[in-house]
Amino acid sequence: EMEKKLAKGNQLKNWYKDTVIEANPTNRPNREKQFDPTTRVIYYDIPEKVEILKRRILDDGPFDVVVAFSQGSIMMHLLIGHLRRELPGPQELRKRWQCTRNEAEMMPWRLTVFFCGMHIRAEDYFNLFHVASPHPTVHVFGKEDEFYAYGRDGFGNKPMEEYYVDPLVLVHEQGHQFPTAQPRAKQIYDRVAAEIWRHCGRKRTL
């Protein structure tokens, strides 16, 4: 429902397509196959899709913070993983200093906040985070989320928060959503806001 509101009547689209390979093929729904740790998932055209997202951020930015929800987190992991393998180019160097990348590990934004995030499922991209990224991240999970166990499990790889050197992990008692139940929701948003202020150069603490 949130996606439909954001789309405002426009066509909903996926960033990329994937295929689930089973050792013994079944007619199970794709969702069940995705959540089966014995299956193998293949992502298609990821370098091209990552390049589209990178260009959007560089052309429309600079941005200070990226917020990713649910499967959008996977796309952000892939973008961060690819960017950290690239040396900064001239376009990044032309942006204002907040967006300047002086080294490969420096992203052209300051902080990523993941809500109900998910890990990279395709083994072909596990190596993007064999060494954890120093990029600052916040990870917010709901314990009643039907995808909670899946999101916290690496399925043969490390859990998504372990892709990063010093992740801040926050948990609430609701489901697959931005938290709304008080007082925990306010506590989470206050902490997220404090992290944004901290990484964006302002002195504000809880």
Side-chain angles (χ1 to χ4, degrees):
E1 188 159 328
M2 182 188 71
E3 292 173 335
K4 291 180 180 179
K5 287 182 179 179
L6 291 174
K8 297 179 179 178
N10 294 317
Q11 175 75 38
L12 292 172
K13 299 180 181 179
N14 293 328
W15 271 102
Y16 60 87
K17 293 183 179 180
D18 60 27
T19 296
V20 183
I21 306 225
E22 300 175 286
N24 298 302
T26 70
N27 292 322
R28 292 184 296 169
N30 180 68
R31 173 172 161 174
E32 290 185 17
K33 296 178 184 179
Q34 288 273 359
F35 295 162
D36 181 348
T38 68
T39 62
R40 181 167 179 258
V41 177
I42 297 175
Y43 295 163
Y44 295 103
D45 304 320
I46 291 302
E48 293 85 351
K49 304 304 183 182
V50 164
E51 183 65 23
I52 291 171
L53 182 54
K54 182 181 81 171
R55 292 258 61 88
R56 175 64 61 86
I57 288 174
L58 293 178
D59 291 345
D60 293 350
F63 300 103
D64 290 317
V65 181
V66 174
V67 176
F69 180 80
S70 189
Q71 291 174 292
S73 302
I74 301 172
M75 197 63 202
M76 288 309 302
H77 298 318
L78 292 168
L79 175 61
I80 292 166
H82 279 78
L83 279 174
R84 64 193 304 225
R85 295 184 169 193
E86 298 179 4
L87 292 176
Q91 176 164 354
E92 291 95 320
L93 298 178
R94 287 199 300 271
K95 296 290 185 179
R96 65 180 170 91
W97 70 271
Q98 289 95 331
C99 196
T100 297
R101 298 181 65 212
N102 296 316
E103 57 185 39
E105 288 284 13
M106 183 180 292
M107 297 299 113
W109 66 96
R110 297 185 174 203
L111 173 71
T112 304
V113 182
F114 298 101
F115 285 87
C116 306
M118 297 183 181
H119 52 79
I120 294 172
R121 188 71 166 79
E123 295 178 10
D124 293 345
Y125 298 100
F126 284 2
N127 60 0
L128 293 176
F129 294 97
H130 275 169
V131 176
S133 166
H135 177 64
T137 58
V138 178
H139 306 258
V140 182
F141 297 100
K143 288 185 178 179
E144 292 300 315
D145 187 345
E146 59 184 319
F147 308 124
Y148 178 71
Y150 176 79
R152 302 303 302 272
D153 190 311
F155 271 47
N157 192 17
K158 62 184 76 174
M160 59 171 279
E161 62 264 33
E162 293 182 15
Y163 297 171
Y164 305 97
V165 170
D166 190 23
L168 171 62
V169 178
L170 303 171
V171 179
H172 58 87
E173 301 297 327
Q174 292 183 267
H176 197 70
Q177 62 184 87
F178 292 97
T180 57
Q182 302 299 343
R184 185 56 180 155
K186 184 177 187 305
Q187 293 168 352
I188 285 175
Y189 294 127
D190 282 350
R191 185 62 192 275
V192 170
E195 288 299 300
I196 291 172
W197 285 110
R198 183 164 73 91
H199 290 287
C200 295
R202 293 287 298 273
K203 294 182 179 179
R204 177 174 175 175
T205 58
L206 293 177

